[in-house]
Amino acid sequence: MTVQTWTYLLVGITFALYIGIAIWSRAGSTKDFYVAGGGVSPLANAMATAADWMSAASFISMAGIIAFAGYDGSVYLMGWTGGYVLLALLLAPYLRKFGKFTVPDFIGDRYYSNTARLVAVFCAFLVSFTYVAGQMRGVGLVFSRFLEVDINTGVVIGMIIVLFYAVLGGMKGITYTQVAQYCVLIFAFMVPAIFISIQMTGNPIPQLGMGSTLNDGSGTFLLDRLNSLSTDLGFAEYTSGSKSTIDVFAITLALMVGTAGLPHVIVRFFTVKRVKDARKSAGLALLLIAILYTTAPAVAVFARTNMINTVSDQEYSDMPEWFTKWERTKLISFTDKNGDGKIQYVADNAKNELVVDQDIMVLANPEIAKLPSWVIALVAAGGLAAALSTAAGLLLVISASVSHDLIKKIFVPNISEKGELWAARGAATVAVVIAGYFGINPPGFVAAVVALAFGLAAASFFPAIVLGIFYKKMNKEGAIAGMVVGILLMLFYMLKFKFGIFDGGKEAVTALKKDWWLGISPEGFGTVAMIVNFVVSIVVMKFTPPPPKEVQEIVEDIRIPSGAGEASGH
Amino acid sequence: MNDKQQKASAYWKENIRYLGILLAIWFAVSYGAGILFKDTLNQFKIGGFELGFWFAQQGAIYVFVILIFVYVRLMNRLDKKYGYDE
């Protein structure tokens, strides 16, 4: 069977499975819709959390980014897993004990203020929409390359599937679909990695294969070979990278606190029964995530080495089929600058003839390594599972923010349960359509906005939640001032250094690099904005009245794990 | 302060102490070994890995997983000690 037949088959089967699960587990109440009825087992919750957490970015893009960035790519590996430790230790157990549906709910109640709630809703929107557009893009990418449909048709198909199970099933439907999606995506990621690891190093465990010697009888370590290949072509040594230490530090920290503040992952811990389960579930989820995250750097090394070996200084006319297929999607492009018919792939821009989009590395990897058709198709199905699971989780956050935080808590407090459920479904539908629109017409600044989303989450949510739990005396004036100053500072820095708005637009950005504060890039600036948020919150708090006694009692109560009860909206 | 409050604040203090220790390790393996002292550690090799690079792309993640499970055990024990177990 051809790759395309296999892909249709595997994608068809997995989609049918997701829809089947959604019908079986559809939501009957708002509680089902928001927190899956609050009775999900720790293991199922962990699998769902892992699928939720690992987006198209983790599955499709991350290993590709690392393949091109080498050591510098470590910021994503440490950032996205280390943030999870913060989440598990500092947030999850307490938010579970608090027992409401959403993150703005916590901010609004803890800081006894609808202004704080509104600020939180705004942040949740911004973070979630940015993310969801990225997922839709991932869906489109997989469809266009493997099923050879138009990228827009791909996005629309993805929209319909997500719409179907998110709107019908709510959190309950999403949770059980995500369990299935985790299985699909981890299998799809591991199988080719294991195949290639055996092929290149003889070691079936990719994490070890990455540090083993090559299979070609030379006795050279794979990483040493890659280092010399890279430097021969003028690139930085793979294991050293080229970013400054302070920037690597700042970006890692911004990604850590940013991901710990992601609302769609936090909300997952409201779906288990007890605080104890929330803790355990967090541990299991990181274990499940770590399987992919420790394999990704190995995949990066394999892919990078294979790619250089396949293309560098080879005849263009001898290129394998995958090369021409990716050329058609314009994600690989070759210009024969010196007219010798060979591909010169070098660091020097004036001589380099090959441009490879980093997003294709994971998808192209099995083909580059000449693996069987079914493995290639499996990767396509895995990429879709990763994108759809995260998209669904984010849509739920958006719809809950609209129906619960805005409509029920602020505008129509006496709405009936049924009304709220329909409002949630309506909001989810609108959100899917908007996300789909951005997937089809991606604004040129998607990548920039994704970085902004992390920075914003770091600069706004994280300090407010942490102080809310660990600092009883923190009041609403302090928290609101901190969030507002943090967001504005972050926005200012991004607009100035990422978009060049104050200095004549995009063209000015490169020249502005030397003006970076402390040499920190916009991607890492969330760290600075977060620190400023903490400082402003504490200073303002010192000069304003302390929170009311009831609120201080709430804080004392969430610190004690027993008597969590079920999550409720009232 | 009544008994109940005293118990709660003792529990909280122990909890904070655990968090401090665990987060110190969290910082040491990622920011320490993986970033700040990477170049020094890279002089050592395990298998084909330079040590600093290994911490940044593998080691830190393994330690993170272990940290959360240690935290779960410590907290479960603490809950029992203070009768907050359920």
Side-chain angles (χ1 to χ4, degrees), chain A residues 66 70-71 74 78 81-82 85-86 88-89 93-94 207 210-211 221 223-224 239-240 248-249 252-253 256 274 276 279 283-284 286-287 290 294 297 470 559-563, chain B residues 5 8 11-12 15-16 19 22-23 26-27 30-31 34-36 38 42 45 47-50 53 56-58 60-62 64-65 68-69 71-72 75-76 79 84-86:
Chain A
I66 301 170
Y71 167 79
S74 315
M78 287 189 287
T81 52
V85 176
L86 293 178
L89 267 55
Y94 310 107
Q207 286 86 341
M210 179 187 173
F221 281 115
L223 282 165
D224 292 342
T239 53
S240 302
V248 170
F249 191 101
T252 308
L253 190 55
M256 280 196 191
R274 297 166 302 176
K276 208 173 150 181
R279 292 189 199 123
L284 288 170
L286 185 61
L287 180 66
T294 52
F470 289 87
R559 292 177 175 182
I560 305 297
S562 55
Chain B
Q5 277 173 323
Y11 170 86
W12 186 246
N15 177 15
I16 296 285
L19 290 182
L22 293 172
L23 289 178
W26 164 84
F27 187 87
S30 50
Y31 297 95
I35 299 177
L36 298 173
K38 171 201 92 169
N42 273 353
K45 272 185 117 175
F49 290 109
E50 289 162 4
F53 177 81
Q57 301 216 335
Q58 298 276 308
I61 303 174
Y62 298 134
F64 291 158
V65 175
I68 300 189
F69 281 105
Y71 169 74
V72 170
M75 291 310 282
N76 284 348
D79 289 355
Y84 294 138
D85 191 35
E86 55 179 3

Side-chain angles (χ1 to χ4, degrees), chain A residues 169-223:
Chain A
M171 187 60 139
K172 199 172 164 201
I174 288 174
T175 302
Y176 292 107
T177 339
Q178 280 171 339
V179 170
Q181 281 160 339
Y182 176 78
C183 300
V184 173
L185 84 86
I186 203 70
F187 188 67
F189 200 81
M190 295 309 292
V191 167
I194 292 170
F195 261 107
I196 299 173
S197 186
I198 295 174
Q199 208 177 59
M200 291 180 79
T201 67
N203 195 325
I205 303 168
Q207 286 86 341
L208 300 177
M210 179 187 173
S212 302
T213 50
L214 285 160
N215 222 357
D216 58 6
S218 64
T220 320
F221 281 115
L222 173 58
L223 282 165

